[in-house]
Amino acid sequence: MLKIGVATYTLRLWKIDETIALLQKLGIEYVSLKDAHLPRSSSPDELRAIIKKFQAAGITPLSVGNIAIKNDEADARSAFEYAKNAGIGTMVCAPPVEALPMLDKLVKEYDIRLAIHNHGPEDKHFPTPYAAYELIKKLDPRLGLCVDVGHCARGGKDPARAIWDCRSRVYDIHLKDIHTTERNGRAREVGRGVLDIPAILHALQKIKFEGNIGFEYEKDEKDPSLGLAESVGYVRGVLKVL
């Protein structure tokens, strides 16, 4: 069964307790934790306490991020230590291409998977999942992808096809919808936009995806609760008929 969760960037303006309360109300059992809810400045004990708070609420953190990683080993190690101290095995990240050899070394050392996030046509490094996949496919298998389906489509690629084509390295998903696949595509409630959400979910079923499929709802940032609830309901309905 697919693990439908939330990327807590969606609720970045909300406090931890408010976030947990909404996720429980929506029946969400998985999250990818953003710095707003799992601060990188926290001590190891503080990080573990936050993780336990989510777990006690019936919510399992499957990844952390998105984290910007510089082409600097000290900075990269700081990010790996953060994930290690939190006890999370997958880190969604946005590194420069030049950092890949260093990251290839660090994923082996820390045994933590990296999920490189594609950020659309504005991203000079990884506009689509394919851009990252071509560079990492011969590197350590712990170097993988977070497929952002909206940015993938804005970059001119079919998200469902990208999930299938890059299936050996897909470790995290940012699920959303947009009003157009053109460069200026803006966030919509999932099901109200132009993305083929059933095809995306079917592709994830075909590859037997086990990571977090996190709603990253970027509309209504002050109070995304209604749009997120609608998105969750739509996806659950689609899954019932797939």
Side-chain angles (χ1 to χ4, degrees):
M1 181 178 292
L2 296 179
K3 296 175 179 176
I4 304 299
V6 166
T8 69
Y9 178 78
T10 300
L11 299 159
R12 59 196 176 278
L13 301 183
W14 289 34
K15 296 179 180 178
I16 291 175
D17 288 343
E18 295 171 328
T19 295
I20 288 175
L22 177 60
L23 296 177
Q24 287 181 311
K25 186 179 292 186
L26 296 178
I28 294 294
E29 298 179 354
Y30 305 99
V31 287
S32 177
L33 289 173
K34 184 66 176 169
D35 181 77
H37 303 109
L38 191 71
R40 280 185 69 177
S41 58
S42 303
S43 70
D45 286 343
E46 289 169 336
L47 290 172
R48 287 189 285 269
I50 294 170
I51 296 297
K52 287 180 180 178
K53 191 167 192 174
F54 277 89
Q55 292 172 333
I59 302 164
T60 301
L62 294 178
S63 63
V64 295
N66 192 353
I67 297 173
I69 296 180
K70 301 174 185 176
N71 186 24
D72 175 85
E73 187 163 335
D75 178 72
R77 282 189 179 278
S78 171
F80 276 91
E81 288 291 334
Y82 165 70
K84 175 185 174 182
N85 290 331
I88 304 297
T90 300
M91 178 166 51
V92 179
C93 64
V97 170
E98 306 82 56
L100 291 179
M102 173 187 64
L103 296 176
D104 185 51
K105 178 183 75 171
L106 292 178
V107 295
K108 298 169 185 173
E109 179 180 335
Y110 283 90
D111 193 23
I112 288 173
R113 297 195 305 184
L114 289 189
I116 298 173
H117 185 281
N118 59 284
H119 264 117
E122 301 85 1
D123 185 345
K124 67 178 182 179
H125 297 289
F126 306 113
T128 70
Y130 293 101
Y133 182 74
E134 288 302 314
L135 291 169
I136 65 173
K137 64 183 181 181
K138 294 183 180 179
L139 300 179
D140 190 276
R142 282 162 286 206
L143 281 168
L145 309 173
C146 170
V147 178
D148 184 304
V149 300
H151 292 320
C152 180
R154 289 195 312 109
K157 302 297 182 183
D158 174 19
R161 185 70 198 181
I163 288 167
W164 176 256
D165 289 343
C166 304
R167 58 191 178 277
S168 65
R169 298 292 181 105
V170 178
Y171 299 150
D172 202 275
I173 297 290
H174 282 176
L175 187 63
K176 60 184 61 169
D177 211 342
I178 50 179
H179 88 292
T180 176
T181 58
E182 297 299 316
R183 186 186 182 101
N184 66 339
R186 298 189 303 276
R188 287 287 184 269
E189 294 82 357
V190 177
R192 290 203 201 189
V194 298
L195 297 189
D196 190 344
I197 302 299
I200 291 168
L201 295 171
H202 183 54
L204 291 166
Q205 288 179 329
K206 284 199 301 179
I207 69 170
K208 299 180 180 179
F209 184 66
E210 297 181 350
N212 186 57
I213 303 170
F215 288 99
E216 191 179 46
Y217 180 66
E218 297 173 289
K219 187 183 172 195
D220 310 317
E221 68 172 11
K222 290 185 179 179
D223 185 5
S225 55
L226 290 178
L228 180 58
E230 180 180 332
S231 300
V232 171
Y234 174 80
V235 165
R236 285 179 176 155
V238 170
L239 287 173
K240 282 190 175 183
V241 299
L242 278 180

